[in-house]
């Protein structure tokens, strides 16, 4: 049976985005096999429709109904190749990310444990170059397979070619809207060393196991982040901002307790959640949207929020942080309008007096 025959119309997307925002897809289909990608894209192209792939729906802000084809990534499968000093793991893009991490630990293949409980799918992980507790996907990803809309064929990029950066990759830049990721390959060394030099992980013993790190990461994330099925959210809403050394020095002269971390190109990374918390915004709400009472970096759908509520709350937070710290917060979530993803600045604008 052709995959096109399974396309549905006017489907509610509230259960396909973790903010639980009410939005509809004009057309909707579940993608279970990579071989069907070409047919789906050809169908959308013939009808001149925009298309969008959703994995776990955990990093999306649906601003309105989507006028094209929403493709739900349901591709599954894991292949393991054991090498002399490492494991090569090829995971299909539709695999649940946390379940995949949990599976690798249970199979005695450590390395991904710091990235436990990050919502979403394997296919979404290289787009954002997900990271947590001192580890980024780029540290462990060796290549990404995808369908190219330019060549109408499957292609593979090496880790270097993916151009990974902080919460960024080639898939958000040159290849944006030009590929559908089908598989991600990881290289996990057998010479495992625990990465425990970040936050609460420093409390772990020297001889801690990968399972021990996994359990501690899960414990910390659960204590800080609300469960989306209980309280709609998209995880961390803002990126941790980067500032120059001069700017950092000025801030530390006023706030010596301000957390900061070395970054590339002589910059330093600040904790966006700390900045928001310092302004007393935990629990602050606008309409049905609110800053989570325990984690300032998370915006939540507290009471049947509309996308406009979240946008207004986001603008307010950015304005307050700019006025107090001269730091411009950038959203980490993807903003989606009726025809596809847009730059957040297109709807947020800039805080007053920001250049």
């Amino acid at each position: 049976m052709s995959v096109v025959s399974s396309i549905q119309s006017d489907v509610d997307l509230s259960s396909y985005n973790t903010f639980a925002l009410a939005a509809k897809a004009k057309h909707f289909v579940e993608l279970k096999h990579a071989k069907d990608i070409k047919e789906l894209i050809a169908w959308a192209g013939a009808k001149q429709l925009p298309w969008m792939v959703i994995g776990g729906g955990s990093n999306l802000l649906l601003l309105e109904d989507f006028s094209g084809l929403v493709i739900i990534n349901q591709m599954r499968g894991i292949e393991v190749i054991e090498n002399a000093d490492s494991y090569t793991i090829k995971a299909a893009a539709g695999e649940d990310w946390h379940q995949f991490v949990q599976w690798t630990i249970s199979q005695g293949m450590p390395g991904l444990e710091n990235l436990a409980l990050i919502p979403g799918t394997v296919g979404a992980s290289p787009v954002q170059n997900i990271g947590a507790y001192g580890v980024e996907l780029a540290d462990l990803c060796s290549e990404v397979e995808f369908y190219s809309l330019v060549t109408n064929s499957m292609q593979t990029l090496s880790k270097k070619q993916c151009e990974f950066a902080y919460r960024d990759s080639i898939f958000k830049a040159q290849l944006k809207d030009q590929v559908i990721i089908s598989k991600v390959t990881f290289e996990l060394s057998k010479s495992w060393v625990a990465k425990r030099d970040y936050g609460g992980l420093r409390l772990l013993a020297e001889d801690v196991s990968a399972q021990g790190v996994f359990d501690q990461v899960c414990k910390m994330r659960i204590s800080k982040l609300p469960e989306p099925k209980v309280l709609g959210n998209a995880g961390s809403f803002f990126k941790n901002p980067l500032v120059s050394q001069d700017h950092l020095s000025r801030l530390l002269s006023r706030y010596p307790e301000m957390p900061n971390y070395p970054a590339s190109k002589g910059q330093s990374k600040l904790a966006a959640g700390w900045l928001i918390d310092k302004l007393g915004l935990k629990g602050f709400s606008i309409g049905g949207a609110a800053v989570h009472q325990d984690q300032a970096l998370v915006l939540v759908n507290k009471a049947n929020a509309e996308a406009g509520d979240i946008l207004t709350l986001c603008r307010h937070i950015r304005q307050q942080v700019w006025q107090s710290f001269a730091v411009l917060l950038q959203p980490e979530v993807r903003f989606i309008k009726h025809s596809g993803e847009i730059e957040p600045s297109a709807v947020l604008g800039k805080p007053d007096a920001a250049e």
Side-chain angles (χ1 to χ4, degrees):
M1 181 183 295
S2 169
V3 68
V4 169
S5 64
S6 63
I7 294 176
Q8 304 172 52
S9 298
D10 297 321
V11 174
D12 178 22
L13 296 176
S14 58
S15 62
Y16 294 96
N17 74 99
T18 58
F19 257 127
L21 293 174
K24 285 188 175 182
K26 183 64 176 176
H27 302 284
F28 173 99
V29 69
E30 292 186 352
L31 173 65
K32 298 182 179 180
H33 306 287
K35 64 180 179 60
D36 292 330
I37 297 175
K38 185 174 184 177
E39 184 179 356
L40 287 175
I41 297 304
W43 182 88
K47 295 182 177 296
Q48 297 184 320
L49 293 172
W51 56 270
M52 172 177 65
V53 177
I54 294 180
S58 59
N59 200 42
L60 302 176
L61 180 60
L62 301 178
L63 300 175
E64 55 195 6
D65 291 344
F66 190 72
S67 63
L69 175 65
V70 168
I71 301 171
I72 302 297
N73 191 338
Q74 294 288 327
M75 292 183 282
R76 300 284 194 268
I78 300 174
E79 177 188 358
V80 178
I81 301 172
E82 184 172 359
N83 310 304
D85 56 0
S86 67
Y87 295 100
T88 299
I89 307 175
K90 298 178 180 292
E95 291 285 344
D96 178 88
W97 175 259
H98 175 65
Q99 292 178 12
F100 170 62
V101 173
Q102 194 170 32
W103 181 86
T104 61
I105 302 302
S106 71
Q107 297 298 306
M109 297 179 289
L112 295 171
E113 56 281 344
N114 292 54
L115 303 178
L117 266 186
I118 294 179
T121 58
V122 167
S125 63
V127 179
Q128 285 284 110
N129 183 24
I130 60 173
Y133 299 103
V135 175
E136 289 188 336
L137 180 99
D139 301 328
L140 302 156
C141 174
S142 59
E143 62 182 31
V144 177
E145 177 190 283
F146 57 88
Y147 178 83
S148 168
L149 276 71
V150 176
T151 64
N152 291 320
S153 64
M154 300 300 293
Q155 294 188 2
T156 301
L157 290 184
S158 67
K159 170 182 175 177
K160 182 178 181 180
Q161 291 172 317
C162 288
E163 299 180 10
F164 289 124
Y166 175 62
R167 301 299 177 268
D168 202 6
S169 71
I170 194 172
F171 304 108
K172 290 183 69 176
Q174 297 97 310
L175 296 184
K176 182 179 178 181
D177 297 331
Q178 296 181 25
V179 306
I180 296 179
I181 294 174
S182 55
K183 190 179 297 182
V184 182
T185 302
F186 302 86
E187 202 73 27
L188 304 183
S189 174
K190 290 183 176 180
S191 301
W192 176 80
V193 177
K195 298 289 182 64
R196 55 182 196 84
D197 56 350
Y198 195 102
L201 295 181
R202 296 192 184 100
L203 302 176
L204 295 175
E206 290 284 349
D207 59 350
V208 67
S209 66
Q211 184 67 53
V213 175
F214 176 89
D215 291 342
Q216 182 66 9
V217 168
C218 289
K219 180 180 178 180
M220 290 190 293
R221 290 188 70 89
I222 289 172
S223 70
K224 295 178 179 180
L225 302 175
E227 168 57 49
K229 293 180 181 178
V230 177
L231 191 61
N233 71 90
S236 299
F237 193 90
F238 296 102
K239 298 178 183 178
N240 287 325
L242 300 174
V243 297
S244 68
Q245 291 304 308
D246 287 344
H247 195 167
L248 176 63
S249 296
R250 290 193 294 270
L251 289 172
L252 288 176
S253 68
R254 295 167 56 199
Y255 310 99
E257 76 283 12
M258 177 182 286
N260 63 93
Y261 311 92
S264 60
K265 300 179 180 178
Q267 295 180 306
S268 289
K269 184 190 301 182
L270 304 181
W274 186 92
L275 301 176
I276 299 168
D277 188 16
K278 187 70 175 178
L279 297 174
L281 291 173
K282 279 183 179 176
F284 180 82
S285 64
I286 292 179
V291 179
H292 190 252
Q293 60 185 6
D294 296 323
Q295 173 51 271
L297 195 54
V298 177
L299 306 189
V300 299
N301 181 349
K302 187 177 181 180
N304 298 316
E306 297 180 354
D309 297 334
I310 298 173
L311 282 178
T312 303
L313 179 59
C314 175
R315 291 190 188 101
H316 178 78
I317 293 169
R318 279 165 42 103
Q319 181 66 46
Q320 297 301 308
V321 170
W322 175 260
Q323 288 181 343
S324 297
F325 306 105
V327 170
L328 182 60
L329 292 184
Q330 300 291 356
E332 185 172 322
V333 300
R334 299 168 58 202
F335 284 30
I336 310 296
K337 293 200 75 173
H338 67 94
S339 60
E341 184 174 359
I342 62 168
E343 287 298 320
S345 60
V347 290
L348 291 176
K350 292 183 179 180
D352 293 342
E355 296 180 357

